[in-house]
């Protein structure tokens, strides 16, 4: 089965009207048509970016809440994201897990609700350096994936992003072999605990210090189906990362 290469740019809490206009202009041509591209935009600029980007590029919220509406000051619902033209949402990013104390259970509830509302979901998992050094990588990513699996009935609209926390924003990219090893064991876990066909079809992105310089070697690995890019997604080199398989 050929899994469509899928690259997400996670702008995090960066950008203003001027820089977002530049980024969107840069993304308006020259992208591999065989790659699916999504950008995670800060909430106040989602609609703005949507109007500037070509329709072929998806727009994602970087977070959402687990219910449609109500007294939840500061939160954003999947229905609102859909209403302003976003079709994706990133859920469970390590910054949400660590800084904002989101648990596996809350993330699972958000994923269930976002999918029920018709959004596509990039669900993030990944171990810390401490966990990796303690030999806990599989235990951690399997636990996180199990929580997700319990929340997902239909995997069609789900992409998993494996982002080792020690590689995020540090310049320490996982080697292609390290990333492939985890992606392969995740696919095996999914095959044994969800189904063979989901394991075959689900895209697993790698995230953590991906750049134009290291993306091609990572993209050549059989179980790496794309990237979730932070810092480099704000720069012109994001285009080279989208085109890593060209
Ligand atoms: O967190 C990330 C994407 O979600 C990765 O960030 P960097 O690419 O800046 O390491």
């Amino acid at each position: 089965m050929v899994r469509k290469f899928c690259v997400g740019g996670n702008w995090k809490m960066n950008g203003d009207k001027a820089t977002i206009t530049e980024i969107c202009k840069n993304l308006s041509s020259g992208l591999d048509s065989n790659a699916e591209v999504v950008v995670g935009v800060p909430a106040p600029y989602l609609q703005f970016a949507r109007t500037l980007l070509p329709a072929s590029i998806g727009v994602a919220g970087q977070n959402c809440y687990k219910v449609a509406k109500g007294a939840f000051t500061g939160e954003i619902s999947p229905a609102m994201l859909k209403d302003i033209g976003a079709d994706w949402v990133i859920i469970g990013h390590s910054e949400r897990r660590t800084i904002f104390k989101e648990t596996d259970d809350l993330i699972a509830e958000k994923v269930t609700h976002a999918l029920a509302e018709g959004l596509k979901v990039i669900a993030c998992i990944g171990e810390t350096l401490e966990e990796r050094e303690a030999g806990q990588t599989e235990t951690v990513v399997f636990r996180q994936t199990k929580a997700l699996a319990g929340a997902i009935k239909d995997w069609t609209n789900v992409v998993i992003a494996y982002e080792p926390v020690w590689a995020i924003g540090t310049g320490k990219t996982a080697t292609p072999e390290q990333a492939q090893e985890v992606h392969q064991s995740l696919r095996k876990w999914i095959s044994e605990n969800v189904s063979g066909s989901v394991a075959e079809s689900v895209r697993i992105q790698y995230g953590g210090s991906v750049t134009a310089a290291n993306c091609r070697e990572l993209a050549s690995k059989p179980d790496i189906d794309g990237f979730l890019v932070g810092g480099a997604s704000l720069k012109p080199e994001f285009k080279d990362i989208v085109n890593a398989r060209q």
Side-chain angles (χ1 to χ4, degrees):
M1 122 121 351
V2 183
R3 293 180 292 270
K4 188 167 187 164
F5 198 64
C6 181
V7 179
N10 178 6
W11 298 351
K12 308 191 179 183
M13 198 175 72
N14 293 295
D16 53 27
K17 277 179 161 178
T19 53
I20 288 172
T21 303
E22 277 309 300
I23 295 171
C24 293
K25 206 182 285 174
N26 181 50
L27 294 179
S28 294
S29 64
L31 299 177
D32 181 354
S33 58
N34 291 316
E36 185 167 6
V37 183
V38 185
V39 286
V41 179
Y45 298 110
L46 274 163
Q47 200 165 11
F48 181 63
R50 180 64 287 165
T51 62
L52 295 175
L53 287 165
S56 56
I57 297 185
V59 167
Q62 299 176 4
N63 180 31
C64 66
Y65 198 50
K66 61 178 179 177
V67 295
K69 62 178 178 175
F72 303 101
T73 302
E75 292 299 301
I76 296 165
S77 73
M80 292 170 180
L81 291 174
K82 282 206 78 175
D83 193 37
I84 55 101
D87 25 26
W88 288 82
V89 62
I90 299 168
I91 297 181
H93 191 278
S94 77
E95 287 144 21
R96 301 293 322 168
R97 292 177 185 263
T98 318
I99 305 170
F100 301 101
K101 310 281 181 266
E102 292 193 8
T103 60
D104 284 342
D105 287 347
L106 175 61
I107 291 160
E109 288 181 280
K110 290 182 176 195
V111 168
T112 300
H113 179 61
L115 290 172
E117 292 282 324
L119 283 176
K120 292 180 260 193
V121 171
I122 297 177
C124 305
I125 59 172
E127 83 288 0
T128 63
L129 182 60
E130 206 180 16
E131 290 162 341
R132 174 163 282 260
E133 286 178 344
Q136 296 292 304
T137 299
E138 284 199 345
T139 311
V140 171
V141 297
F142 291 170
R143 185 202 78 222
Q144 293 167 332
T145 308
K146 187 177 178 198
L148 293 172
I152 302 168
K153 282 197 215 98
D154 177 356
W155 284 71
T156 317
N157 287 338
V158 179
V159 169
I160 292 179
Y162 167 60
E163 302 201 295
V165 179
W166 49 272
I168 296 178
T170 57
K172 284 186 202 149
T173 321
T175 64
E177 292 70 31
Q178 282 175 320
Q180 166 61 23
E181 187 184 17
V182 177
H183 284 226
Q184 192 173 3
S185 31
L186 280 169
R187 218 178 284 289
K188 185 160 177 278
W189 187 93
I190 293 168
S191 141
E192 287 165 358
N193 294 277
V194 182
S195 77
S197 66
V198 169
E200 270 288 290
S201 58
V202 70
R203 273 94 52 91
I204 308 178
Q205 297 174 323
Y206 166 77
S209 298
V210 176
T211 64
N214 59 33
C215 63
R216 286 182 179 273
E217 216 188 326
L218 285 158
S220 71
K221 294 294 178 190
D223 290 295
I224 299 181
D225 309 309
F227 301 114
L228 188 57
V229 185
S233 71
L234 299 161
K235 302 179 189 162
E237 74 180 279
F238 183 61
K239 224 161 158 164
D240 300 318
I241 300 172
V242 169
N243 295 342
R245 282 260 175 96
Q246 237 179 8

Short mmCIF file of all heavy atoms in Angstrom, two decimals, residues 139-170:
data_model
loop_
_atom_site.label_atom_id
_atom_site.label_comp_id
_atom_site.label_asym_id
_atom_site.label_seq_id
_atom_site.Cartn_x
_atom_site.Cartn_y
_atom_site.Cartn_z
N THR A 139 7.62 1.63 25.73
CA THR A 139 6.57 1.64 26.76
C THR A 139 5.77 2.94 26.67
O THR A 139 4.53 2.92 26.72
CB THR A 139 7.21 1.56 28.17
OG1 THR A 139 8.14 0.49 28.14
CG2 THR A 139 6.19 1.35 29.25
N VAL A 140 6.47 4.05 26.53
CA VAL A 140 5.81 5.36 26.51
C VAL A 140 4.98 5.53 25.24
O VAL A 140 3.80 5.89 25.30
CB VAL A 140 6.84 6.51 26.66
CG1 VAL A 140 6.18 7.87 26.44
CG2 VAL A 140 7.50 6.45 28.02
N VAL A 141 5.58 5.29 24.08
CA VAL A 141 4.82 5.55 22.85
C VAL A 141 3.69 4.54 22.67
O VAL A 141 2.64 4.88 22.11
CB VAL A 141 5.71 5.66 21.58
CG1 VAL A 141 6.67 6.84 21.70
CG2 VAL A 141 6.44 4.37 21.26
N PHE A 142 3.86 3.33 23.19
CA PHE A 142 2.75 2.37 23.11
C PHE A 142 1.61 2.81 24.05
O PHE A 142 0.44 2.72 23.70
CB PHE A 142 3.21 0.95 23.47
CG PHE A 142 4.12 0.29 22.46
CD1 PHE A 142 4.78 -0.89 22.75
CD2 PHE A 142 4.33 0.86 21.21
CE1 PHE A 142 5.63 -1.49 21.82
CE2 PHE A 142 5.18 0.26 20.27
CZ PHE A 142 5.84 -0.92 20.58
N ARG A 143 1.97 3.30 25.24
CA ARG A 143 0.93 3.78 26.17
C ARG A 143 0.15 4.94 25.54
O ARG A 143 -1.08 4.97 25.56
CB ARG A 143 1.60 4.25 27.48
CG ARG A 143 0.62 4.65 28.57
CD ARG A 143 1.23 5.59 29.60
NE ARG A 143 1.31 6.94 29.08
CZ ARG A 143 2.36 7.75 29.24
NH1 ARG A 143 3.42 7.37 29.92
NH2 ARG A 143 2.34 8.97 28.72
N GLN A 144 0.88 5.88 24.93
CA GLN A 144 0.22 7.03 24.30
C GLN A 144 -0.64 6.58 23.12
O GLN A 144 -1.75 7.09 22.91
CB GLN A 144 1.29 8.04 23.83
CG GLN A 144 2.04 8.70 24.99
CD GLN A 144 3.28 9.46 24.53
OE1 GLN A 144 3.89 9.12 23.51
NE2 GLN A 144 3.68 10.47 25.29
N THR A 145 -0.14 5.63 22.35
CA THR A 145 -0.88 5.15 21.17
C THR A 145 -2.11 4.36 21.61
O THR A 145 -3.17 4.43 20.97
CB THR A 145 0.03 4.30 20.27
OG1 THR A 145 1.22 5.05 20.01
CG2 THR A 145 -0.65 3.99 18.94
N LYS A 146 -1.97 3.62 22.70
CA LYS A 146 -3.12 2.86 23.22
C LYS A 146 -4.25 3.81 23.61
O LYS A 146 -5.43 3.56 23.30
CB LYS A 146 -2.68 2.04 24.44
CG LYS A 146 -3.73 1.09 24.94
CD LYS A 146 -3.21 0.25 26.10
CE LYS A 146 -4.34 -0.64 26.59
NZ LYS A 146 -4.07 -1.17 27.92
N ALA A 147 -3.89 4.91 24.26
CA ALA A 147 -4.91 5.91 24.64
C ALA A 147 -5.59 6.46 23.38
O ALA A 147 -6.82 6.63 23.34
CB ALA A 147 -4.29 7.03 25.45
N LEU A 148 -4.81 6.71 22.36
CA LEU A 148 -5.39 7.22 21.10
C LEU A 148 -6.29 6.16 20.47
O LEU A 148 -7.41 6.45 20.04
CB LEU A 148 -4.28 7.58 20.10
CG LEU A 148 -3.37 8.76 20.46
CD1 LEU A 148 -2.23 8.85 19.46
CD2 LEU A 148 -4.19 10.05 20.46
N ALA A 149 -5.78 4.93 20.43
CA ALA A 149 -6.52 3.85 19.75
C ALA A 149 -7.90 3.66 20.39
O ALA A 149 -8.88 3.39 19.68
CB ALA A 149 -5.71 2.56 19.77
N GLY A 150 -7.96 3.83 21.70
CA GLY A 150 -9.24 3.69 22.39
C GLY A 150 -10.22 4.79 22.01
O GLY A 150 -11.44 4.66 22.20
N ALA A 151 -9.69 5.87 21.44
CA ALA A 151 -10.53 7.03 21.11
C ALA A 151 -10.92 7.07 19.64
O ALA A 151 -11.71 7.91 19.24
CB ALA A 151 -9.77 8.31 21.46
N ILE A 152 -10.34 6.18 18.85
CA ILE A 152 -10.51 6.26 17.39
C ILE A 152 -11.27 5.05 16.88
O ILE A 152 -10.82 3.91 17.04
CB ILE A 152 -9.13 6.35 16.70
CG1 ILE A 152 -8.35 7.57 17.21
CG2 ILE A 152 -9.28 6.37 15.18
CD1 ILE A 152 -6.87 7.58 16.82
N LYS A 153 -12.41 5.31 16.23
CA LYS A 153 -13.16 4.20 15.62
C LYS A 153 -12.71 4.00 14.19
O LYS A 153 -12.53 2.89 13.71
CB LYS A 153 -14.66 4.50 15.64
CG LYS A 153 -15.30 4.27 16.99
CD LYS A 153 -16.83 4.17 16.83
CE LYS A 153 -17.52 4.79 18.05
NZ LYS A 153 -17.98 6.16 17.87
N ASP A 154 -12.58 5.12 13.48
CA ASP A 154 -12.21 5.09 12.07
C ASP A 154 -10.90 5.88 11.93
O ASP A 154 -10.86 7.07 12.24
CB ASP A 154 -13.34 5.75 11.27
CG ASP A 154 -13.02 5.83 9.79
OD1 ASP A 154 -11.90 5.47 9.38
OD2 ASP A 154 -13.90 6.30 9.04
N TRP A 155 -9.87 5.20 11.44
CA TRP A 155 -8.54 5.80 11.39
C TRP A 155 -8.30 6.60 10.10
O TRP A 155 -7.22 7.16 9.91
CB TRP A 155 -7.47 4.72 11.52
CG TRP A 155 -7.32 4.22 12.93
CD1 TRP A 155 -8.20 3.45 13.63
CD2 TRP A 155 -6.22 4.48 13.82
NE1 TRP A 155 -7.72 3.21 14.91
CE2 TRP A 155 -6.50 3.83 15.03
CE3 TRP A 155 -5.02 5.20 13.71
CZ2 TRP A 155 -5.63 3.87 16.13
CZ3 TRP A 155 -4.15 5.23 14.80
CH2 TRP A 155 -4.46 4.57 15.99
N THR A 156 -9.29 6.65 9.22
CA THR A 156 -9.10 7.31 7.92
C THR A 156 -8.58 8.73 8.07
O THR A 156 -7.75 9.18 7.29
CB THR A 156 -10.46 7.37 7.16
OG1 THR A 156 -11.10 6.12 7.32
CG2 THR A 156 -10.27 7.67 5.69
N ASN A 157 -9.10 9.46 9.05
CA ASN A 157 -8.77 10.88 9.19
C ASN A 157 -7.71 11.14 10.26
O ASN A 157 -7.64 12.25 10.81
CB ASN A 157 -10.03 11.69 9.50
CG ASN A 157 -10.91 11.82 8.28
OD1 ASN A 157 -10.44 11.69 7.15
ND2 ASN A 157 -12.19 12.06 8.49
N VAL A 158 -6.91 10.11 10.53
CA VAL A 158 -5.90 10.27 11.59
C VAL A 158 -4.49 10.10 11.02
O VAL A 158 -4.23 9.18 10.26
CB VAL A 158 -6.11 9.23 12.71
CG1 VAL A 158 -5.05 9.38 13.80
CG2 VAL A 158 -7.51 9.34 13.30
N VAL A 159 -3.63 11.01 11.41
CA VAL A 159 -2.19 10.88 11.14
C VAL A 159 -1.52 10.89 12.50
O VAL A 159 -1.89 11.67 13.38
CB VAL A 159 -1.69 12.08 10.29
CG1 VAL A 159 -0.18 12.12 10.21
CG2 VAL A 159 -2.29 12.03 8.88
N ILE A 160 -0.55 10.01 12.69
CA ILE A 160 0.21 10.03 13.95
C ILE A 160 1.51 10.78 13.71
O ILE A 160 2.16 10.60 12.67
CB ILE A 160 0.53 8.58 14.41
CG1 ILE A 160 -0.77 7.89 14.82
CG2 ILE A 160 1.52 8.58 15.57
CD1 ILE A 160 -0.57 6.46 15.26
N ALA A 161 1.87 11.63 14.66
CA ALA A 161 3.17 12.30 14.57
C ALA A 161 4.02 11.79 15.73
O ALA A 161 3.69 12.01 16.89
CB ALA A 161 3.00 13.81 14.65
N TYR A 162 5.10 11.08 15.37
CA TYR A 162 6.06 10.65 16.39
C TYR A 162 7.11 11.74 16.54
O TYR A 162 7.88 12.01 15.62
CB TYR A 162 6.72 9.32 16.01
CG TYR A 162 7.92 9.03 16.88
CD1 TYR A 162 7.78 8.90 18.27
CD2 TYR A 162 9.21 8.91 16.36
CE1 TYR A 162 8.86 8.68 19.09
CE2 TYR A 162 10.31 8.69 17.17
CZ TYR A 162 10.13 8.57 18.53
OH TYR A 162 11.22 8.37 19.35
N GLU A 163 7.06 12.41 17.69
CA GLU A 163 7.99 13.50 17.95
C GLU A 163 8.71 13.26 19.27
O GLU A 163 8.18 13.59 20.34
CB GLU A 163 7.23 14.83 18.04
CG GLU A 163 6.43 15.16 16.81
CD GLU A 163 6.12 16.66 16.73
OE1 GLU A 163 5.39 17.17 17.60
OE2 GLU A 163 6.65 17.30 15.83
N PRO A 164 9.92 12.69 19.19
CA PRO A 164 10.67 12.51 20.44
C PRO A 164 10.93 13.89 21.05
O PRO A 164 11.40 14.80 20.37
CB PRO A 164 11.97 11.84 20.00
CG PRO A 164 12.04 11.94 18.52
CD PRO A 164 10.66 12.22 18.01
N VAL A 165 10.58 14.03 22.32
CA VAL A 165 10.62 15.36 22.96
C VAL A 165 12.04 15.94 22.93
O VAL A 165 12.22 17.14 22.74
CB VAL A 165 10.06 15.27 24.40
CG1 VAL A 165 10.10 16.63 25.09
CG2 VAL A 165 8.63 14.74 24.38
N TRP A 166 13.03 15.07 23.06
CA TRP A 166 14.43 15.52 23.08
C TRP A 166 14.88 16.06 21.72
O TRP A 166 15.93 16.70 21.62
CB TRP A 166 15.35 14.36 23.52
CG TRP A 166 15.10 13.06 22.80
CD1 TRP A 166 14.20 12.09 23.17
CD2 TRP A 166 15.71 12.62 21.59
NE1 TRP A 166 14.23 11.07 22.25
CE2 TRP A 166 15.15 11.36 21.28
CE3 TRP A 166 16.69 13.14 20.73
CZ2 TRP A 166 15.52 10.62 20.15
CZ3 TRP A 166 17.07 12.41 19.62
CH2 TRP A 166 16.48 11.16 19.34
N ALA A 167 14.11 15.83 20.69
CA ALA A 167 14.50 16.29 19.35
C ALA A 167 13.75 17.58 18.96
O ALA A 167 14.04 18.17 17.93
CB ALA A 167 14.22 15.20 18.32
N ILE A 168 12.80 18.00 19.79
CA ILE A 168 11.97 19.15 19.43
C ILE A 168 12.68 20.45 19.77
O ILE A 168 12.99 20.71 20.94
CB ILE A 168 10.59 19.09 20.14
CG1 ILE A 168 9.81 17.87 19.64
CG2 ILE A 168 9.81 20.37 19.92
CD1 ILE A 168 8.47 17.67 20.31
N GLY A 169 12.96 21.22 18.75
CA GLY A 169 13.54 22.55 18.96
C GLY A 169 14.96 22.53 19.50
O GLY A 169 15.47 23.55 19.97
N THR A 170 15.61 21.37 19.45
CA THR A 170 16.94 21.25 20.05
C THR A 170 18.04 21.17 19.00
O THR A 170 19.22 21.27 19.34
CB THR A 170 17.03 19.94 20.88
OG1 THR A 170 16.71 18.84 19.99
CG2 THR A 170 16.06 19.95 22.03
#
